[in-house]
Amino acid sequence: MISIVVPCYNEQESLPLFYKELEKVRKNLINADIEYIFVNDGSTDKTLDVLRELNNEDPKRIKYVSFSRNFGKEAGLYAGLEYATGDYVAVMDADLQDPPEMLPAMLEELRAGEFDCIGTRRVSRDGEPPIRSFFARQFYRIINRISDTEIVDGARDYRLMTRQMVDAILSLKEYNRFSKGIFSWVGFDTKYLEYKNQERVAGETSWSFWSLFKYSLDGIIAFSEVPLVIAAFLGFFSFIAAMIALLVIIVRALIFSDSVSGWPSLVCFILALGGLQLFCLGILGKYLGKTYLETKNRPIYIVKEQSSSKN
């Protein structure tokens, strides 16, 4: 049994197309069946109605979980993994940017026993805005330099995992989740299959540039302490620079009897130093805020409705 975990947010147009394509793939699987775990992440359109209809068509194979509000894709992914019962578990997006036709090859590779996870990796970003592609590449470059956890450039959440790896991921109960990093952090042997980028089949993406930027910051904070080190070094070198500048002023006053002028430059220096302090405080505040959220021990998600309660 393969559990297909599908986080959904406003995917009413994509879901019927997604299900139709996956059913074509299911018929080509050898000695394997599929169960669908759809997670409605507080959608504001008719996504939940579509999931109910699909569940009524095939209640044994199609299951859904609906949140009380929007908790984010990370929460949806975690919930889907918790509800999955298959021997293997796959994570896919409903917009068909994750090619379903790759699933048989992924299953064959996993059955060979050499790997615990078969992931997918985009080798092109055709159709994506150039500035978004540029910042995405820079994010992978930065995080792999400052983090001990390797995150593969272009790697998608779309992957097929063994039950052992899924259980390891579920054992990480942290509230602030960054799945790309978690998939790598738990270890296990992973092989990536490459493919070219594909456009959404319907609807519009909910990932704006700003939301992706915040998500990248969450990833850096979750898997690297380097920003804290940078803040410490900036403070140290600012102090050294200030001491050198003070020494120069004293020497000029003693040797040349020069009363140092330049109040505008002094004001600029004070403002620059103040901005640097605020920047460092912002870094500390970000880490402290994440720690504060973790200590609250809030649930990662809250379920309002699920298919098992209706069948």
Side-chain angles (χ1 to χ4, degrees):
M1 176 65 73
I2 303 174
S3 296
I4 307 291
V5 174
V6 190
C8 306
Y9 180 71
N10 292 344
E11 297 287 1
Q12 65 175 24
E13 298 177 11
S14 301
L15 283 172
L17 301 174
F18 173 84
Y19 177 66
K20 182 179 178 181
E21 292 300 317
L22 260 293
E23 282 296 286
K24 293 179 182 177
V25 172
R26 182 176 68 85
K27 296 174 183 178
N28 294 326
L29 295 176
I30 301 175
N31 297 326
D33 201 1
I34 286 177
E35 71 164 0
Y36 299 90
I37 310 293
F38 293 100
V39 182
N40 176 40
D41 184 22
S43 298
T44 56
D45 63 358
K46 296 183 179 180
T47 294
L48 182 56
D49 293 334
V50 174
L51 294 179
R52 288 170 179 156
E53 293 175 5
L54 292 174
N55 174 248
N56 289 331
E57 292 178 12
D58 192 351
K60 183 179 179 181
R61 187 174 285 113
I62 301 175
K63 305 171 185 177
Y64 70 86
V65 179
S66 184
F67 290 167
S68 60
R69 64 170 178 84
N70 178 251
F71 284 89
K73 183 180 178 180
E74 293 292 343
L77 196 155
Y78 184 82
L81 295 180
E82 279 198 313
Y83 279 82
T85 61
D87 306 293
Y88 300 139
V89 181
V91 178
M92 300 182 69
D93 287 340
D95 55 16
L96 289 179
Q97 285 189 292
D98 300 330
E101 61 271 15
M102 295 181 67
L103 195 58
M106 296 166 70
L107 177 60
E108 184 179 351
E109 290 277 2
L110 204 59
R111 277 175 168 169
E114 185 178 353
F115 298 98
D116 304 288
C117 173
I118 306 299
T120 59
R121 176 177 175 268
R122 292 188 301 181
V123 294
S124 70
R125 293 182 177 270
D126 299 336
E128 191 174 76
I131 189 168
R132 181 166 165 175
S133 299
F134 170 78
F135 279 104
R137 287 191 294 269
Q138 297 310 308
F139 163 72
Y140 285 110
R141 184 176 299 173
I142 291 172
I143 197 169
N144 283 318
R145 285 190 175 184
I146 66 177
S147 174
D148 294 331
T149 302
E150 181 184 5
I151 300 178
V152 178
D153 187 359
R156 299 277 294 175
D157 289 336
Y158 180 28
R159 59 192 63 222
L160 184 64
M161 300 172 284
T162 62
R163 170 52 56 181
Q164 184 183 17
M165 181 171 176
V166 172
D167 291 341
I169 293 170
L170 292 175
S171 69
L172 304 180
K173 304 292 185 180
E174 57 202 64
Y175 181 80
N176 300 285
R177 305 185 67 81
F178 183 71
S179 289
K180 282 184 172 63
I182 290 174
F183 289 145
S184 296
W185 187 89
V186 296
F188 296 94
D189 296 320
T190 301
K191 178 179 180 179
Y192 287 94
L193 303 181
E194 297 180 347
Y195 72 98
K196 292 185 178 180
N197 187 48
Q198 299 192 18
E199 298 287 339
R200 289 179 61 95
V201 292
E204 296 182 359
T205 180
S206 58
W207 288 95
S208 64
F209 179 83
W210 178 243
S211 61
L212 285 172
F213 177 72
K214 291 192 295 183
Y215 185 61
S216 66
L217 288 181
D218 289 341
I220 291 173
I221 290 171
F223 287 92
S224 177
E225 296 178 355
V226 170
L228 291 173
V229 177
I230 292 174
F233 272 104
L234 284 174
F236 175 75
F237 285 118
S238 296
F239 173 76
I240 295 299
M243 290 299 100
I244 294 174
L246 181 61
L247 189 61
V248 170
I249 291 173
I250 293 174
V251 170
R252 286 183 61 182
L254 292 176
I255 297 178
F256 302 105
S257 300
D258 182 16
S259 58
V260 180
S261 59
W263 289 106
S265 60
L266 180 61
V267 171
C268 291
F269 178 76
I270 293 174
L271 290 176
L273 188 59
L276 189 63
Q277 290 174 329
L278 290 174
F279 173 74
C280 294
L281 283 174
I283 294 175
L284 292 171
K286 194 69 175 174
Y287 278 89
L288 184 60
K290 295 296 182 182
T291 304
Y292 172 64
L293 290 175
E294 291 289 346
T295 58
K296 286 186 173 185
N297 291 320
R298 289 178 175 175
I300 297 174
Y301 62 88
I302 297 174
V303 174
K304 181 179 181 180
E305 178 184 330
Q306 62 187 59
S307 54
S308 59
S309 65
K310 297 175 68 66
N311 296 315

